[in-house]
Amino acid sequence: FIPHPVIRFGGQAQDSITHTEIVQLGFIRSLARFFIDVKTQDRNKIDIQNFKNEHTIDELYQLAHPDWTKDKIKLYSYPLKSIIDAIQVRNVLVDLNPSTKNLPSAHFDSESFNESNHRIMRLRMKIIEDVRDSNKNLDSTRGKIGDLLHTLQDFYSHSNWIEMGKTEINPYIGIQENIGRIAEINQATCHTRGCKKVLSNCNIFQAYFFKNCPMEYYDCKENIVDEINKQGILTSGYVSNQFNDKGEPVVKPSNVEKCSHGSVMDKTSHQVPIGGINKDAKTPMFSPHYYLHDQAAKFAIEATERFFNDLRKDIGDTNFDRLFAINPTEEQIQKAAIAIKDHEKFHFLTSTLSIGLKDSQNSKDDVLYAEDPSEIPVTLRQTPKIKYPSNVIFWGRISMKGLILSDGSINFTEWLHNQHRNDKCKRMYITDES
């Protein structure tokens, strides 16, 4: 994705969603869930549906604290906003810092899926370790969150996950070693068919930034080898001037047709197979697959929200609150008051940015997966357990790592045992295999 709005507007990609916006939108959703859960646990009567509607950070604080004045909301939310802004800055720096801007594993580039996933796993473990240390200053930890989120978000704009026809985010990134089947080093992944060259004049900013005018880039459709997508094989584009962790150059192969990242700045896009597959922006100037940008951004926001939600489960509500200063300390409030008085500005955080929660629903016939019953809305926990007709067959994945509740709305174990008692000839299975 484009790192921040300055490049977006200067590069004529005004409708594109940036890394900084994805961070903030994902966190707003997670913050809404935090307020819903905390208020519900405290037995406060709240309008849950209202929390799910589209809100800014300030509006969520107002819902959580209806008796607070606007000035108090501005003061008490300022520490959290400063922290999110710091995470956004660190996220942007992954594209600018010499140590990471040309590092494939920081961006899921050049088919570096294992390396990129390991990077996320290492950062995630270190973040959890840091937060669990009550004596540790968390500024550097928040920086690690920015680093991690940049790489996580790039998976959806740099890989062919969307071209495969996926309708949900990849749940395994940063969690386990295997995130999917990866293209072999000698396996062709792209072809030139479907890519057309575009020549475009430069505005003043583009002439300064890109140097070469007229600009030359590609508009590509269906340029990924069909069997790669059909078989669910992961690939991503090679980019010019990249180096691995050891400082060794990472070059687009010349003996096998591999995809390029593509953009007006990517020299590999002119090498056969021409074009590219990235979805960073809504213009072919930056993204040959620009028409899939909105879907990539949608997945990146969902993955960002999921990271925050999973982190909260791993470290607990108290540490999550401390990490993001949701309920700031007196020292944080005093610093906020001084910053507000001095009219200090955020780097990237936008106070007017808003988003709503998705409904608590999924494609698995409304089954909800949770470790703690309190994570499921009360209205769903109280629904009748008798939901399915007799002789029903559950096809595919029922349980994943034992996360279906034993006392949830639908007790699969009890249901299967009941079927077994009624007919001893019936087979009973619960497995984590698809």
Side-chain angles (χ1 to χ4, degrees):
F1 295 98
I2 294 174
H4 55 84
V6 172
I7 292 179
R8 175 179 65 190
F9 291 120
Q12 293 184 335
Q14 288 92 332
D15 294 332
S16 304
I17 301 175
T18 66
H19 272 294
T20 57
E21 291 165 329
I22 291 169
V23 169
Q24 188 172 337
L25 292 169
F27 184 79
I28 289 174
R29 281 183 169 174
S30 187
L31 180 64
R33 294 190 188 280
F34 178 87
F35 280 139
I36 289 172
D37 293 344
V38 169
K39 293 297 180 181
T40 302
Q41 291 168 11
D42 291 344
R43 301 187 181 278
N44 291 327
K45 291 184 178 181
I46 62 169
D47 184 348
I48 293 178
Q49 187 55 50
N50 198 1
F51 272 94
K52 292 182 179 180
N53 294 335
E54 186 172 323
H55 294 297
T56 64
I57 291 175
D58 281 352
E59 288 167 348
L60 286 175
Y61 267 86
Q62 185 71 78
L63 286 174
H65 306 283
D67 57 329
W68 284 10
T69 64
K70 288 186 178 180
D71 285 343
K72 186 171 183 179
I73 288 171
K74 182 178 181 179
L75 177 62
Y76 277 68
S77 66
Y78 192 94
L80 177 144
K81 291 175 184 174
S82 296
I83 289 168
I84 299 303
D85 188 59
I87 291 172
Q88 290 172 305
V89 170
R90 188 66 169 262
N91 185 305
V92 167
L93 288 176
V94 176
D95 272 340
L96 304 177
N97 192 311
S99 66
T100 53
K101 69 177 183 178
N102 297 321
L103 180 67
S105 62
H107 310 277
F108 276 102
D109 288 334
S110 307
E111 297 183 331
S112 63
F113 291 101
N114 288 329
E115 296 86 349
S116 297
N117 186 47
H118 289 161
R119 168 184 167 86
I120 293 175
M121 291 177 75
R122 288 193 302 270
L123 285 168
R124 184 173 179 272
M125 290 175 62
K126 185 59 178 172
I127 289 165
I128 293 171
E129 177 185 322
D130 287 355
V131 179
R132 285 176 175 169
D133 182 352
S134 59
N135 297 317
K136 186 173 181 63
N137 183 295
L138 297 178
D139 287 345
S140 64
T141 306
R142 293 158 184 148
K144 294 183 184 74
I145 293 175
D147 293 342
L148 182 155
L149 288 177
H150 186 107
T151 305
L152 175 64
Q153 292 159 1
D154 272 352
F155 174 82
Y156 297 98
S157 59
H158 292 187
S159 79
N160 62 326
W161 185 258
I162 292 171
E163 287 86 346
M164 288 182 192
K166 299 293 186 181
T167 58
E168 296 177 351
I169 62 174
N170 189 325
Y172 306 119
I173 296 176
I175 303 297
Q176 64 180 44
E177 294 280 343
N178 183 7
I179 65 171
R181 184 180 172 188
I182 302 167
E184 301 292 337
I185 188 64
N186 60 349
Q187 186 173 20
T189 56
C190 269
H191 47 67
T192 295
R193 296 188 306 275
C195 290
K196 62 180 181 180
K197 183 184 292 186
V198 180
L199 294 175
S200 175
N201 293 326
C202 301
N203 61 29
I204 295 175
F205 174 87
Q206 293 161 347
Y208 173 79
F209 192 76
F210 301 131
K211 308 300 182 186
N212 295 325
C213 291
M215 297 179 294
E216 185 175 328
Y217 48 88
Y218 297 89
D219 183 335
C220 298
K221 291 180 175 64
E222 299 181 358
N223 58 321
I224 299 176
V225 173
D226 197 37
E227 289 304 307
I228 293 293
N229 287 332
K230 284 184 177 179
Q231 295 179 24
I233 300 173
L234 287 168
T235 186
S236 63
Y238 283 77
V239 189
S240 52
N241 300 317
Q242 286 203 319
F243 301 86
N244 63 20
D245 288 317
K246 299 177 181 178
E248 301 165 339
V250 178
V251 181
K252 180 178 177 179
S254 57
N255 61 336
V256 60
E257 293 194 327
K258 289 291 188 181
C259 303
S260 289
H261 177 79
S263 87
V264 68
M265 299 173 288
D266 180 18
K267 293 180 181 179
T268 73
S269 65
H270 306 302
Q271 301 172 19
V272 178
I274 61 171
I277 65 171
N278 93 71
K279 297 158 280 291
D280 285 339
K282 290 184 75 170
T283 169
M285 182 189 307
F286 292 125
S287 302
H289 285 195
Y290 61 95
Y291 47 89
L292 296 176
H293 170 78
D294 285 342
Q295 184 61 42
K298 175 178 177 290
F299 279 170
I301 292 168
E302 290 177 11
T304 300
E305 178 199 355
R306 178 166 181 160
F307 165 77
F308 285 125
N309 291 341
D310 287 348
L311 177 62
R312 179 185 158 203
K313 292 176 186 177
D314 288 330
I315 64 178
D317 283 354
T318 301
N319 281 330
F320 189 80
D321 188 337
R322 182 170 68 95
L323 178 60
F324 296 104
I326 299 172
N327 294 289
T329 63
E330 283 299 321
E331 181 182 355
Q332 289 170 328
I333 293 170
Q334 290 174 10
K335 289 181 178 179
I338 295 171
I340 293 171
K341 182 180 178 181
D342 292 343
H343 303 286
E344 291 186 11
K345 302 294 184 183
F346 299 117
H347 296 89
F348 298 116
L349 185 128
T350 306
S351 295
T352 57
L353 201 60
S354 63
I355 195 171
L357 280 175
K358 293 174 62 181
D359 289 336
S360 297
Q361 205 168 19
N362 61 29
S363 60
K364 303 294 186 290
D365 208 356
D366 297 341
V367 177
L368 293 181
Y369 300 82
E371 293 175 316
D372 186 335
S374 65
E375 296 172 14
I376 300 177
V378 175
T379 54
L380 290 177
R381 294 205 303 271
Q382 293 176 347
T383 55
K385 290 185 179 181
I386 302 173
K387 180 176 180 180
Y388 298 98
S390 59
N391 301 320
V392 67
I393 296 175
F394 293 98
W395 191 264
R397 186 181 295 277
I398 291 178
S399 174
M400 180 179 171
K401 298 182 180 179
L403 298 184
I404 290 180
L405 300 173
S406 61
D407 58 348
S409 302
I410 303 161
N411 190 323
F412 283 105
T413 307
E414 179 184 338
W415 184 88
L416 288 169
H417 277 295
N418 287 340
Q419 306 310 305
H420 192 59
R421 282 197 295 268
N422 293 339
D423 186 347
K424 293 183 179 180
C425 295
K426 288 186 177 181
R427 295 180 180 180
M428 178 176 67
Y429 298 102
I430 282 191
T431 175
D432 65 353
E433 297 296 323
S434 296

